């Protein structure tokens, strides 16, 4: 191995270590003291509930663990958005589990909590996947109610989705394991089956204090909306559990009896590991986002037996397209090639840039995968489309539009891995979040933004210095450098993969070695939802 490999390896393994540390911190939720108080009430934490519910020896993935990261500081923070979401297996059946974390503001809903819950429901709807809600929430976080209550993608959309999923035949099971108040009370009752834990679970539209204030009635919360009330008097809930584990065991029993699902029919053979060491990814991926490398070497360490059958290998070389298998599943891969390449006409093309021929090749390949019913995997390390008079005269906008059209209208499931750069229109063409990938994740090396930090800082510096000069201020080289460094620091924070993950622009920041698990579980989930419409590009300029 050369010295650059070793330097890259040290850098990328350090990033992976930082990821583990950040996840460890996030998993504490509201902190150890609040966890102790939670346990003192005889309750398991959200993560403990999920761990008990999911099959121990099966893989699982966590959706949006970093939601709310470094946000809401003036409100004390909201780790993981106050809710934990995992895709895993219950009695061998793939499910989504959504658990309120009552150690974070009593499980109250912040704006990001609503967005995260809606993302979970979106995944369930797209993949027709059973979803289990473990409810323990004080309802909307009132200081931010204007950002979570009234709009289309706010709190009320949750219950609309409950109804839509029910009409689609998607199984929904809810266990009330703590507070379930006000509008939130509709979620478990709009599920197919609802459980409630005796003495700790409660459901009501208004608690005892509000009832006293509103109508003058004096009543305790347990009599008002406890397990006995709802299982024996109102009939609102279907099962009364003696404690958390009893409720979770009941859910396991219910799930174990769900019938088989109609399958989309994606091709799968016996899974095989890559023959080349996946760990080499850390040394191949450059420390600097500006450096070149061969994306084929990354692909060979992700796919089964390191076999990648390239499509149009010698044409449009700044995008790699081809067929492979990941954990046995057949996939079509669309990846940005980060090497400087030479065309047969002797022209040099920059790696990570999409040229007309690359966009043309990708469009054709995406259409082929749709015709063959092969899921698509996008590996992003893209700086954007090629600019300049030659590209414009050659119709780069037209060819780019064709690629965006193909990505938008694709009917096979899409999965996006942001490996490195994800800038500008390149993010769109390579199936960014706006283009409905079933799952989208980033490696710790990723950067998501309109343009690179250097480019953006230079543009913003020009704007700011021009503004200062208009005010009559003198801009010395020292002042200009201070301005540049301040602007770049602010922008670099915004292009971080954690900044994107905190706002759920991606579903996770993952260790590169977990990529196969995410794609495999994603395709297995997608296999629950047969494709119901044909692939149609619509109107495009040829």
């Amino acid at each position: 191995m050369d010295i650059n490999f070793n330097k890259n390896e040290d850098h990328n393994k350090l990033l992976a270590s930082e990821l583990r540390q950040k996840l460890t911190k996030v998993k504490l939720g509201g902190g150890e003291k609040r966890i102790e108080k939670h346990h003192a009430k005889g309750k398991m934490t959200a993560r403990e509930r999920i761990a008990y519910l999911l099959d121990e020896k099966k893989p699982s993935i966590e959706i949006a663990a970093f939601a709310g990261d470094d946000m809401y500081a003036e409100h004390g923070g909201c780790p993981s958005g106050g809710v934990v979401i995992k895709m895993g297996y219950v009695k061998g059946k793939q499910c989504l589990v959504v658990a309120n974390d009552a150690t974070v503001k009593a499980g109250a809903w912040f704006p990001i909590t609503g967005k995260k819950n809606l993302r979970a429901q979106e995944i369930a709807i797209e993949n027709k996947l059973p979803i289990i809600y473990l409810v323990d929430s004080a309802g909307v976080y009132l200081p931010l109610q204007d950002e979570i209550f009234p709009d289309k993608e706010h709190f009320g959309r949750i219950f609309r989705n409950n109804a839509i999923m029910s009409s689609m035949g998607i199984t929904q099971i809810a266990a009330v394991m703590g507070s379930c108040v006000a509008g939130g009370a509709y979620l478990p009752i709009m599920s197919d089956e609802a459980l409630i834990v005796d003495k700790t679970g409660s459901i009501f539209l208004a608690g005892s204090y509000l009832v006293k204030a509103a109508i003058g009635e004096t009543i305790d919360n347990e009599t008002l909306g406890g397990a006995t009330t709802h299982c024996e008097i109102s009939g609102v809930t279907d099962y009364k559990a003696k404690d958390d584990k009893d409720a979770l065991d009941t859910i396991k029993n219910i799930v174990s009896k769900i019938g088989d699902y109609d399958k989309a029919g994606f091709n799968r053979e016996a899974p095989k590991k890559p023959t080349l060491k996946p760990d080499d990814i850390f040394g191949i991926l450059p420390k600097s986002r500006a450096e070149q490398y061969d994306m084929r070497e990354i692909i060979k360490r992700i796919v089964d037996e390191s076999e990648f059958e390239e499509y149009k290998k010698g044409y449009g070389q700044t995008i790699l397209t081809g067929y492979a298998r990941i954990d046995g599943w057949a996939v079509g891969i669309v990846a940005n090639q980060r090497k400087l390449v030479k065309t047969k006409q002797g022209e040099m093309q920059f790696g990570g840039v999409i040229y007309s021929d690359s966009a043309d090749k990708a469009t054709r390949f995406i259409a082929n995968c749709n015709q063959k019913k092969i899921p698509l995997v996008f590996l992003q390390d893209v700086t954007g489309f090629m600019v300049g008079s030659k590209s414009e005269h050659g119709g780069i906008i037209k060819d780019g539009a064709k690629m965006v059209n193909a990505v938008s209208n694709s009917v096979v499931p899409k999965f996006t891995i942001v490996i490195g750069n994800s800038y500008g229109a390149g993010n769109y063409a390579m199936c960014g979040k706006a283009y409905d990938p079933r799952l989208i994740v980033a490696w710790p090396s990723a950067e998501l933004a309109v343009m690179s930090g250097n480019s953006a800082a230079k543009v913003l510096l020009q704007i700011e210095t021009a503004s200062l000069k208009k005010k009559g201020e003198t801009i010395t080289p020292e002042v200009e450098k201070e301005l540049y460094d301040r602007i770049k620091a602010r922008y670099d924070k915004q292009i971080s993969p954690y900044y994107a993950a905190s706002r759920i622009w991606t579903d996770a920041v993952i260790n590169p070695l977990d990529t196969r698990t995410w794609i495999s579980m994603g395709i297995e989930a997608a296999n629950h939802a047969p494709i119901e419409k044909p692939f149609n590009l619509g109107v495009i300029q040829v």
Side-chain angles (χ1 to χ4, degrees), residues 73-319:
E74 65 276 25
H75 297 278
C78 188
S80 269
V83 62
V84 182
I85 298 170
K86 282 199 174 185
M87 182 187 293
Y89 301 84
V90 177
K91 292 293 184 178
K93 288 184 169 59
Q94 196 175 22
C95 300
L96 270 176
V97 185
V98 179
N100 299 113
D101 186 351
T103 70
V104 178
K105 300 289 185 185
W109 287 55
F110 281 64
I112 199 67
T113 317
K115 186 172 184 179
K116 185 169 175 177
N117 275 269
L118 287 171
R119 177 61 180 143
Q121 290 184 321
E122 180 182 36
I123 292 170
I125 289 169
E126 284 181 328
N127 300 292
K128 297 187 176 178
L129 209 58
I131 186 166
I132 299 164
Y133 307 99
L134 307 180
V135 183
D136 194 344
S137 171
V140 166
Y141 182 63
L142 289 178
L144 296 174
Q145 64 85 26
D146 61 322
E147 297 179 44
I148 182 62
F149 171 65
D151 209 349
K152 180 178 178 181
E153 299 298 330
H154 283 179
F155 193 61
R157 189 78 171 181
I158 304 290
F159 316 126
R160 175 263 187 194
N161 286 350
N162 288 142
I164 295 297
M165 283 191 280
S166 183
S167 72
M168 293 174 67
I170 297 171
T171 297
Q172 298 176 85
I173 301 168
V176 179
M177 310 179 85
S179 297
C180 183
V181 301
Y186 288 104
L187 186 147
I189 311 313
M190 293 187 75
S191 299
D192 301 337
E193 295 184 83
L195 305 83
I196 186 168
V197 178
D198 196 20
K199 300 297 185 286
T200 56
S202 58
I203 309 172
F204 32 65
L205 294 179
S208 55
Y209 293 121
L210 189 55
V211 168
K212 176 71 173 176
I215 63 172
E217 182 183 3
T218 301
I219 189 169
D220 64 273
N221 281 339
E222 183 64 25
T223 306
L224 180 66
T228 299
T229 295
H230 286 311
C231 286
E232 299 177 19
I233 300 172
S234 72
V236 164
T237 50
D238 307 308
Y239 306 89
K240 180 163 74 171
K242 63 182 180 182
D243 55 26
D244 281 7
K245 286 187 177 180
D246 186 34
L248 298 169
D249 285 336
T250 301
I251 292 173
K252 290 181 185 183
N253 290 334
I254 294 169
V255 173
S256 71
K257 296 173 179 66
I258 297 173
D260 203 0
Y261 56 90
D262 295 333
K263 296 175 178 62
F266 303 122
N267 185 280
R268 193 181 197 187
E269 293 183 352
K272 295 176 182 176
K273 294 181 180 179
T275 54
L276 297 176
K277 285 174 55 182
D279 216 56
D280 287 347
I281 287 172
F282 294 113
I284 295 167
L285 194 65
K287 178 179 178 179
S288 168
R289 291 285 77 246
E291 288 182 32
Q292 305 275 299
Y293 65 97
D294 190 350
M295 181 65 84
R296 288 186 185 91
E297 296 306 314
I298 299 289
I299 292 171
K300 288 176 183 177
R301 285 156 177 84
I302 293 174
V303 301
D304 291 13
E305 297 190 295
S306 300
E307 291 183 352
F308 178 52
E309 185 179 351
E310 277 200 61
Y311 171 84
K312 288 185 180 288
K313 183 177 181 179
Y315 178 71
Q317 295 178 66
T318 63
I319 286 183

